[in-house]
C-alpha cells in the first residue's frame, strides 16, 4: 500500500504543473460544460497512452524508457525520432520550470535570479541522489503539501462567491489553441517505467494508480478554472474582458487573485502553491529523463546532465525554449502516442480501440499546433 500511495502521488505531482496556471488563461473563452468534457476526455487519453507504455514494459519484462524500447524493437530512424522528442521535451520543460521557479522565488525572497538557478540545480541533484525510499517519502510530502495548498486556495479564492454565475459563450476559434494546452497539462508518461518498477509490474495496481493519479489533477484543474473565473467575475468585469482577450499574463492573474482576496495569507499561499506545482512537476520529468540517460551514462553523470543543462540554458537565455513550448504537445505525441501504438501493433499484431482513439487525437493536436504556428 505504501508503494501504491507513493506511485500515485508521483503521478499527481508530475501532472500538476504549468497547466494549473495556463488553463484559466487559455480556457476562459470556452463553456464550462465543454471544459469539463475536454478534461474528462484528456484524462482518458493520458490513461490510455500511459497504459500503452506499461504494456511495452510488460513485453520487455523490465522497466524501460521509450527510447530504450525503441532501440531494441525498431530501426534507427524511429529510435532517433523518439530519443530526440523525449530529450527535447524534457529538457525544454525543465528549463522552463527552472526559469519560472527562480523568477517567482527571487521576487518573493529578493534573491538574485542566477543564485536561485544554481540552488535549484543543486537541490534537484540532491533529490535525485536520494535512495528510493527517501525520495518517495520526500516527493510524497511535497505533493501532499501542494494538494493541501490547492484545497485552501480553491476554498478561499472561489468558494467565497457561491452565488456568482459565470457567463460563458464558447468561441470555437479558441479551441485549436486550447486543445494542445490541456493535452500537455496531463503529460507524465516519462515516469511510467518508474511506476512499473515501483509497483513490481502489477498491472492492476499500476492501472489503479494511473486512474487515480491522473484524475486528481483533472478534478483540480476544473475546480480551479471555475474558482478563478468566479473570483474575476465578482470583482472586475473589465479584467475578465482583458482575460478573454488574452491580454493578461500569469503574473497579473496571480497578482489580481492576491489583491482581491480578503485574507492577506492568500498571496503567500498562491506563491507557495506556484512554487510547489513547478517543483513536483520538475522532479517527475527529471526522474523520467534520468531513467533514459542512465542507459548511456553513469548514474552520477546522468544526474549532473539532468540538472546542469536546464541551469546552463537559463544562464544563456531565459526565453530560449519559448518556441519549443509552442510545439510541446506535438513533440509529446511522438513518444506518448504514435511510437507506443506502432510498437504494440508491431509486436502483438493488433491495436486496441483506445490506442486508435489516442492516435486520432494525437493527429488533431499536431494539426492544431501547426495551424497556430503558421496561420
Amino acid at each position: 500500500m505504501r508503494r501504491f500511495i507513493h506511485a500515485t502521488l508521483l503521478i499527481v505531482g508530475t501532472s500538476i504543473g504549468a497547466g494549473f496556471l495556463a488553463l484559466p488563461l487559455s480556457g476562459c473563452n470556452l463553456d464550462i460544460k465543454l471544459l469539463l468534457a475536454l478534461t474528462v476526455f484528456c484524462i482518458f487519453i493520458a490513461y490510455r497512452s500511459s497504459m500503452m507504455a506499461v504494456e511495452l514494459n510488460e513485453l520487455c519484462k523490465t522497466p524501460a524508457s521509450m527510447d530504450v524500447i525503441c532501440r531494441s524493437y525498431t530501426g534507427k530512424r524511429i529510435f532517433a525520432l523518439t530519443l530526440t522528442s523525449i530529450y527535447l521535451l524534457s529538457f525544454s520543460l525543465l528549463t522552463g520550470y527552472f526559469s519560472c521557479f527562480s523568477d517567482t522565488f527571487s521576487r518573493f525572497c529578493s534573491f538574485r535570479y542566477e543564485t536561485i538557478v544554481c540552488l535549484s540545480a543543486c537541490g534537484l541533484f540532491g533529490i535525485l541522489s536520494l535512495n528510493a525510499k527517501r525520495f518517495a517519502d520526500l516527493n510524497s510530502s511535497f505533493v501532499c503539501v501542494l494538494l493541501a495548498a490547492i484545497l485552501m486556495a480553491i476554498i478561499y479564492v472561489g468558494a467565497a462567491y457561491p452565488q456568482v454565475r459565470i457567463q460563458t459563450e464558447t468561441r470555437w476559434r479558441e479551441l485549436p489553441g486550447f486543445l494542445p494546452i490541456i493535452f500537455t497539462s496531463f503529460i507524465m508518461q516519462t515516469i511510467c517505467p518508474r511506476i512499473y518498477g515501483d509497483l513490481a509490474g502489477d498491472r492492476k495496481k499500476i492501472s489503479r494508480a494511473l486512474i487515480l493519479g491522473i484524475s486528481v489533477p483533472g478534478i483540480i484543474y476544473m475546480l480551479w478554472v471555475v474558482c478563478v473565473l468566479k473570483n474575476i467575475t465578482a470583482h472586475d468585469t473589465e479584467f475578465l474582458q482583458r482575460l478573454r482577450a488574452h491580454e493578461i499574463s500569469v503574473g497579473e492573474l496571480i497578482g489580481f487573485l492576491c489583491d482581491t482576496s480578503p485574507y492577506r495569507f492568500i498571496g503567500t499561499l498562491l506563491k507557495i502553491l506556484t512554487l510547489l506545482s513547478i517543483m513536483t512537476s520538475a522532479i517527475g520529468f527529471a526522474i523520467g529523463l534520468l531513467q533514459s540517460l542512465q542507459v548511456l551514462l553513469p548514474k552520477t553523470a546522468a544526474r549532473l546532465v539532468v540538472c546542469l543543462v536546464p541551469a546552463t540554458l537559463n544562464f544563456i537565455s531565459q526565453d530560449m525554449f519559448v518556441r519549443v513550448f509552442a510545439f510541446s504537445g506535438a513533440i509529446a505525441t511522438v513518444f506518448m502516442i504514435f511510437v507506443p501504438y506502432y510498437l504494440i501493433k508491431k509486436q502483438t499484431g493488433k491495436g486496441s480501440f483506445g490506442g486508435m482513439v489516442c492516435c486520432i487525437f494525437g493527429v488533431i493536436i499536431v494539426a492544431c499546433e501547426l495551424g497556430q504556428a503558421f496561420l
Side-chain angles (χ1 to χ4, degrees), residues 69-109:
I69 296 173
C70 285
R71 183 182 308 199
S72 302
Y73 293 99
T74 67
K76 292 182 178 179
R77 291 183 179 179
I78 294 180
F79 166 69
L81 179 63
T82 304
L83 187 68
T84 301
S85 64
I86 291 174
Y87 285 2
L88 188 60
L89 181 68
S90 298
F91 277 124
S92 62
L93 287 177
L94 283 173
T95 301
Y97 286 142
F98 267 51
S99 176
C100 188
F101 182 89
S102 300
D103 183 61
T104 303
F105 197 92
S106 61
R107 291 175 184 273
F108 187 39
C109 299

Side-chain angles (χ1 to χ4, degrees), residues 18-195:
F20 188 79
L21 301 173
L23 289 177
L25 298 175
S26 59
C28 56
N29 288 314
L30 301 178
D31 183 74
I32 296 298
K33 292 180 180 179
L34 178 59
L35 279 173
L36 176 60
L38 290 174
T39 302
V40 172
F41 183 69
C42 282
I43 289 173
F44 168 77
I45 294 294
Y47 170 74
R48 280 303 311 152
S49 59
S50 299
M51 286 305 297
M52 284 196 290
V54 172
E55 289 172 25
L56 289 172
N57 276 254
E58 288 178 330
L59 289 174
C60 295
K61 298 181 180 179
T62 183
S65 59
M66 196 58 60
D67 57 305
V68 174
I69 296 173
C70 285
R71 183 182 308 199
S72 302
Y73 293 99
T74 67
K76 292 182 178 179
R77 291 183 179 179
I78 294 180
F79 166 69
L81 179 63
T82 304
L83 187 68
T84 301
S85 64
I86 291 174
Y87 285 2
L88 188 60
L89 181 68
S90 298
F91 277 124
S92 62
L93 287 177
L94 283 173
T95 301
Y97 286 142
F98 267 51
S99 176
C100 188
F101 182 89
S102 300
D103 183 61
T104 303
F105 197 92
S106 61
R107 291 175 184 273
F108 187 39
C109 299
S110 300
F111 281 95
R112 283 172 53 85
Y113 176 88
E114 294 78 8
T115 302
I116 303 302
V117 170
C118 291
L119 292 176
S120 298
C122 293
L124 182 60
F125 182 85
I127 291 172
L128 295 178
S129 300
L130 295 173
N131 62 43
K133 183 179 182 302
R134 290 184 178 178
F135 169 81
D137 289 339
L138 181 62
N139 183 72
S140 295
S141 298
F142 284 151
V143 177
C144 287
V145 174
L146 171 63
L147 293 176
I150 290 174
L151 179 61
M152 292 180 66
I154 288 174
I155 291 173
Y156 285 103
V157 171
Y161 310 99
Q163 305 302 322
V164 175
R165 299 189 64 182
I166 304 171
Q167 300 296 325
T168 57
E169 182 179 348
T170 296
R171 300 179 185 176
W172 292 103
R173 66 178 181 275
E174 300 274 345
L175 193 58
F178 178 75
L179 285 177
I181 292 175
I182 192 168
F183 169 71
T184 308
S185 299
F186 288 96
I187 292 178
M188 41 64 60
Q189 284 73 8
T190 55
I191 64 169
C192 285
R194 175 73 180 234
I195 302 301

Side-chain angles (χ1 to χ4, degrees), residues 1-14 16 127 130-149 191 194-195 198-199 216 276 279-281 283-284 287:
M1 179 58 72
R2 185 185 184 90
R3 288 188 175 185
F4 176 81
I5 293 173
H6 285 321
T8 302
L9 290 175
L10 179 60
I11 297 168
V12 172
T14 305
I16 297 178
I127 291 172
L130 295 173
N131 62 43
K133 183 179 182 302
R134 290 184 178 178
F135 169 81
D137 289 339
L138 181 62
N139 183 72
S140 295
S141 298
F142 284 151
V143 177
C144 287
V145 174
L146 171 63
L147 293 176
I191 64 169
R194 175 73 180 234
I195 302 301
D198 288 349
L199 297 180
V216 169
L276 280 173
M279 186 188 306
T280 57
S281 192
I283 290 172
I287 284 292

Side-chain angles (χ1 to χ4, degrees), residues 17 32 64 102 112 119 141 159 177 197 202 209 212 216 274 285-286 292 310-311 323 344 355:
I32 296 298
S102 300
R112 283 172 53 85
L119 292 176
S141 298
D202 189 323
L212 184 58
V216 169
T274 302
F285 276 101
S292 175
R323 292 185 179 181
I344 290 173

